Amino acid sequence: MKDIGSGKVLKSNSQSKVFINFADHGATGLIAFPSDMLYADDFNNAINYMYANAMYEQMVIYIEACESGSMLKDY
């Protein structure tokens, strides 16, 4: 993951309660940051990785953006 993202990593475990809040712009299948975008496939892959590796006990995801429902359409 060198040179990708800010380098900040969530160091959670199987007892962690994770809250994800995003409020900004979005479109079908993506949410937009000032200089980049996060696509639904990448977001879902990260959530699935966290589940498979017991990186949380409970997770709440709150997305306030246009077309935000498309980020988790299969869940």
Side-chain angles (χ1 to χ4, degrees), residues 10-19 50-51 53-59:
L10 180 65
K11 295 179 180 171
S12 59
N13 60 41
S14 62
Q15 297 176 346
S16 297
K17 293 173 177 50
V18 176
F19 176 69
M50 291 178 71
Y51 177 79
N53 289 279
M55 295 180 71
Y56 62 90
E57 178 181 8
Q58 298 176 0
M59 180 185 290

Side-chain angles (χ1 to χ4, degrees), residues 1-48:
M1 299 295 301
K2 187 176 178 178
D3 299 323
I4 297 176
S6 67
K8 295 178 182 178
V9 177
L10 180 65
K11 295 179 180 171
S12 59
N13 60 41
S14 62
Q15 297 176 346
S16 297
K17 293 173 177 50
V18 176
F19 176 69
I20 299 171
N21 181 53
F22 178 86
D24 211 326
H25 298 287
T28 303
L30 65 88
I31 52 178
F33 296 89
S35 62
D36 207 353
M37 291 180 241
L38 174 61
Y39 294 94
D41 287 343
D42 295 327
F43 186 59
N44 286 289
N45 288 340
I47 293 168
N48 288 328

